[in-house]
Amino acid sequence: MIAKTALITGASKGIGKELSKIHAANGDNLVLVARSEEQLRLLKKEIETQYIFIKIEIIVKDLTVINSAKEIYDELKVKNIQIDYLINNAGFGDFGLFINTPWSRYQQMIDLNITSLSHMCHLFLSDMVLRKHGKVMNVSSTAAFQPEPMMAVYFATKSYVLHFSEALNNEVNDNGVSVTAFCPGPTDTHFMEDSNMKKSKLIKNTRLPSAYKVALSGYNAMMTGRSVKVFGFINKVVAYSVCIFPRKWVVSITRKMQ
Ligand SMILES: NC(=O)c1ccc[n+]([C@@H]2O[C@H](COP(=O)([O-])OP(=O)(O)OC[C@H]3O[C@@H](n4cnc5c(N)ncnc54)[C@H](OP(=O)(O)O)[C@@H]3O)[C@@H](O)[C@H]2O)c1
């Protein structure tokens, strides 16, 4: 059987790192993308030691930089590497009042969470549709289901990812290709520190699920071609129940909870 190849962005830590290990355990070759070269090299070595037949490419790339998605696509074309699974996982948030955070931080968030993710889909989905084969997972969040004061831009970017992925899935599904919007809730990763979430009352004294458990749920959802997968029963109840309350209530309750 010919091995398949998974491209995973944000593979250096957290959910992306665990997704990389899960794909390797299932016999897939890997293309690992992130900014931290050292972390990627360590992960490559760890996986290669465990699974000697897995081929791993490392691409060190800042995905907020314009055209970084095209550079990745072109590099893989030159190396004749076909992508069977595209996982757009890299992303970050920021906790705080909108006007208290420099615009440059939001610009980068939009560039990463929205622009680069969409550009990657545009490039790789075209090939998948031509081949009538391939799967995409876009990592959204339970944040996608509601507006959230103190994280206004991040929540809005994740709503984009959810709606964008659902629409794409409908467009490509007849061609044997699927797009899954994966929506984890709070998870034990570097995200909490990098996004200043430790200041939020929402996650204080809360036991968070491990990145592995969350990644495995996302992997299974993508492999079965699910359109949307929310991780965890409580997250599911909260995510889908917000639509039965007046929107004004939802916004003010979440502000109080923060
Ligand atoms: N943890 C949570 O509570 C949670 C909940 C819901 C959704 N999510 C989503 O899950 C995804 C993964 O997050 P995580 O929790 O695993 O966080 P994490 O541990 O902070 O990992 C984020 C990954 O994204 C990469 N990344 C960040 N900025 C990048 C850039 N400019 N260019 C390329 N790569 C970049 C990081 O690598 P480098 O720093 O090496 O570049 C890292 O590998 C994100 O989309 C996040 O929004 C997380």
Side-chain angles (χ1 to χ4, degrees):
M1 208 173 73
I2 299 167
K4 295 195 164 61
T5 302
L7 186 163
I8 300 157
T9 70
S12 62
K13 343 180 225 197
I15 298 168
K17 185 176 179 178
E18 297 304 325
L19 279 165
S20 308
K21 292 187 195 172
I22 292 167
H23 273 280
N26 283 282
D28 299 328
N29 293 327
L30 301 170
V31 177
L32 308 177
V33 182
R35 293 166 303 178
S36 320
E37 187 167 4
E38 185 55 23
Q39 300 291 333
L40 291 180
R41 290 206 180 284
L42 286 172
L43 179 61
K44 175 175 154 77
K45 206 169 160 193
E46 183 188 333
I47 294 174
E48 282 174 345
T49 311
Q50 205 173 353
Y51 308 103
I52 49 172
F53 296 112
I54 303 290
K55 292 190 196 119
I56 304 177
E57 284 288 326
I58 281 177
I59 301 184
V60 179
K61 198 67 77 184
D62 182 345
L63 291 167
T64 63
V65 174
I66 193 163
N67 264 334
S68 48
K70 181 76 165 68
E71 285 168 13
I72 293 171
Y73 180 80
D74 289 345
E75 186 175 332
L76 295 174
K77 279 274 166 198
V78 169
K79 290 182 175 162
N80 207 14
I81 296 173
Q82 178 183 299
I83 299 305
D84 303 286
Y85 305 117
L86 169 66
I87 299 171
N88 287 305
N89 161 76
F92 75 91
D94 197 84
F95 182 80
L97 286 172
F98 176 69
I99 55 168
N100 287 354
T101 302
W103 172 250
S104 56
R105 179 113 168 121
Y106 291 129
Q107 184 66 66
Q108 286 190 333
M109 198 184 294
I110 293 165
D111 289 343
L112 180 64
N113 298 7
I114 294 182
T115 310
S116 129
L117 176 143
S118 310
H119 198 180
M120 292 287 276
C121 285
H122 194 255
L123 292 161
F124 288 96
L125 261 179
S126 309
D127 289 350
M128 288 180 181
V129 167
L130 273 177
R131 290 196 307 265
K132 297 200 173 297
H133 151 86
K135 293 183 186 301
V136 176
M137 183 207 299
N138 290 328
V139 180
S140 176
S141 168
T142 48
F145 294 87
Q146 69 199 77
E148 182 99 344
M150 307 297 283
M151 287 190 89
V153 176
Y154 175 72
F155 273 56
T157 65
K158 291 299 176 178
S159 290
Y160 172 92
V161 175
L162 173 64
H163 293 150
F164 172 67
S165 307
E166 284 185 278
L168 284 191
N169 188 50
N170 176 279
E171 288 185 21
V172 299
N173 217 232
D174 290 344
N175 298 288
V177 178
S178 61
V179 179
T180 300
F182 179 48
C183 305
T187 308
D188 189 11
T189 68
H190 287 84
F191 177 88
M192 294 297 160
E193 279 145 50
D194 293 352
S195 306
N196 298 314
M197 279 291 288
K198 299 252 161 170
K199 294 181 200 157
S200 166
K201 279 191 272 177
L202 263 182
I203 60 144
K204 260 187 193 151
N205 306 320
T206 311
R207 226 173 122 228
L208 302 178
S210 71
Y212 170 74
K213 220 171 153 188
V214 170
L216 187 61
S217 159
Y219 173 83
N220 289 332
M222 180 185 75
M223 294 312 281
T224 49
R226 285 276 292 268
S227 172
V228 179
K229 170 73 184 172
V230 178
F231 173 83
F233 177 72
I234 304 283
N235 287 337
K236 217 171 283 172
V237 172
V238 174
Y240 290 111
S241 63
V242 293
C243 59
I244 60 176
F245 296 106
R247 290 182 71 79
K248 219 172 156 183
W249 288 13
V250 173
V251 182
S252 64
I253 290 167
T254 48
R255 177 71 202 269
K256 284 199 180 93
M257 286 167 73
Q258 292 283 21

